[in-house]
Amino acid sequence: MLFLFNDRVLRLTGNADFVINSGIPATAVARYTLADSILATQTAVMEVPNLAVESPLKAAALAWLIASRSDANAVLFIAPPKCRKPQEVGFRLATVALTTLGSLMALQEAGKLNSGIINNSVWQSFAA
């Protein structure tokens, strides 16, 4: 499954074991709601704003949690400067066509993916 996490397209493979192996407790995998999964991602992004680049395994695990509890296959989490609480990290969820994610992945693999392309392909279409 392809999943857009901020400015990176991740390939999510595996199941709950993958999430547990990334360091997320089994109790979280079993009990987290979508709101819990979002808060966990906000917390992670507050600590590491460029999570998808600096810790892609953790980003993929959090993306899997969100995907398994919603129809979303794209997220945008932005921590404001001097963020003090996870709830201050803004977020958006979206469901994007697989063809769009595939195109973004191809651009990423070619080293041509940038935030402008992502904004035009994903987030601007949801702003209207």
Side-chain angles (χ1 to χ4, degrees):
M1 168 183 191
L2 297 179
F3 194 100
L4 177 65
F5 191 109
N6 287 358
D7 62 349
R8 292 286 182 261
V9 180
L10 306 172
R11 191 176 307 273
L12 305 184
T13 58
N15 53 25
D17 291 336
F18 156 74
V19 178
I20 294 164
N21 291 336
S22 75
I24 296 174
T27 55
V29 175
R31 296 188 180 140
Y32 270 22
T33 64
L34 177 58
D36 295 328
S37 302
I38 289 170
L39 181 59
T41 307
Q42 287 172 306
T43 301
V45 169
M46 183 181 86
E47 294 168 358
V48 182
N50 200 8
L51 186 68
V53 172
E54 294 180 33
S55 188
L57 219 59
K58 186 167 189 173
L62 291 165
W64 186 91
L65 277 174
I66 291 171
S68 69
R69 285 143 177 82
S70 70
D71 291 331
N73 61 4
V75 296
L76 180 63
F77 283 84
I78 304 293
K82 299 180 183 178
C83 184
R84 297 179 193 198
K85 296 186 296 187
Q87 295 84 351
E88 294 175 357
V89 175
F91 71 93
R92 293 181 74 183
L93 306 177
T95 303
V96 180
L98 182 58
T99 54
T100 300
L101 290 176
S103 296
L104 294 176
M105 176 65 98
L107 289 170
Q108 178 175 291
E109 290 172 348
K112 296 180 180 181
L113 185 62
N114 61 49
S115 58
I117 293 170
I118 293 168
N119 284 336
N120 288 335
S121 301
V122 177
W123 303 113
Q124 285 185 355
S125 65
F126 288 96

